[in-house]
Amino acid sequence: MDRAERIALTLAGILTTTAFLGIVFAAYGMGVMVPTSIKDMKPFERDTVIQISDRHYEIHYIARMWTFFPQEVKIPVGSTVDIYLTSKDIIHGFNIHEKAVNLMAIPNAVNHVRVTFDREGEYRIVCHEYCGIGHQMMSAKIVVYNPEVEDEGG
Ligand code: CUA
């Protein structure tokens, strides 16, 4: 390896590292969510809500024409939710407007995003990828409630 090659390789290494650190910084330093495709997670067969610990949940979402499962999930305010998403038929979108979540539901793949819900309310999940005649009505919701308030009205 001559000197020029060595310099080129070093430069390439520096650039790669810088780009990687930039992503890490964006993800953790600035609170920007970076959707991740999980290669080693097998697409799951059913929708599941798992409580990992106090105010930490995992939700396995399944998209299919033309709905999402689970349809409605209730979590206490301040919860961090790991959303895992797959599709049982074609490509769908998964958008939570208030949280700037934009994921793709892809058959035979799992995508992941981590969201913290620090405000009470109803968060609507909609499909934002055209998927046929029922696309417009394809939705679900996450209800974020305050457990300290007694009368939730249901
Ligand atoms: Cu599913 Cu549009």
Side-chain angles (χ1 to χ4, degrees):
M1 185 154 42
D2 67 16
R3 196 178 138 78
E5 272 179 319
R6 219 170 292 141
I7 290 170
L9 275 179
T10 309
L11 276 177
I14 290 169
L15 285 176
T16 312
T17 311
T18 310
F20 178 73
L21 288 177
I23 292 168
V24 171
F25 178 73
Y28 296 100
M30 300 163 71
V32 173
M33 289 169 300
V34 181
T36 358
S37 187
I38 303 172
K39 301 279 185 332
D40 56 358
M41 185 174 181
K42 223 170 141 251
F44 28 89
E45 289 303 311
R46 49 159 304 137
D47 55 311
T48 320
V49 182
I50 304 162
Q51 183 168 11
I52 308 288
S53 63
D54 185 39
R55 315 254 162 141
H56 185 189
Y57 293 81
E58 193 174 302
I59 307 176
H60 295 184
Y61 276 105
I62 293 174
R64 70 194 317 165
M65 291 184 267
W66 286 281
T67 189
F68 294 101
F69 300 103
Q71 259 294 295
E72 185 177 324
V73 177
K74 291 185 178 173
I75 52 162
V77 68
S79 294
T80 296
V81 181
D82 281 305
I83 290 171
Y84 293 90
L85 174 70
T86 191
S87 169
K88 281 290 172 224
D89 39 44
I90 59 171
I91 291 178
H92 296 277
F94 184 100
N95 169 265
I96 308 175
H97 180 73
E98 294 87 343
K99 303 303 288 181
V101 168
N102 290 298
L103 279 183
M104 298 295 272
I106 301 165
N108 301 315
V110 176
N111 281 324
H112 167 253
V113 71
R114 175 173 283 186
V115 197
T116 298
F117 292 91
D118 33 27
R119 279 200 202 161
E120 289 171 63
E122 285 193 9
Y123 294 81
R124 212 164 107 84
I125 297 160
V126 296
C127 179
H128 65 310
E129 183 72 26
Y130 185 74
C131 57
I133 194 157
H135 166 71
Q136 293 298 336
M137 42 188 210
M138 186 164 168
S139 71
K141 70 178 169 186
I142 293 176
V143 179
V144 179
Y145 68 95
N146 184 351
E148 271 125 54
V149 177
E150 284 293 322
D151 58 330
E152 268 302 311

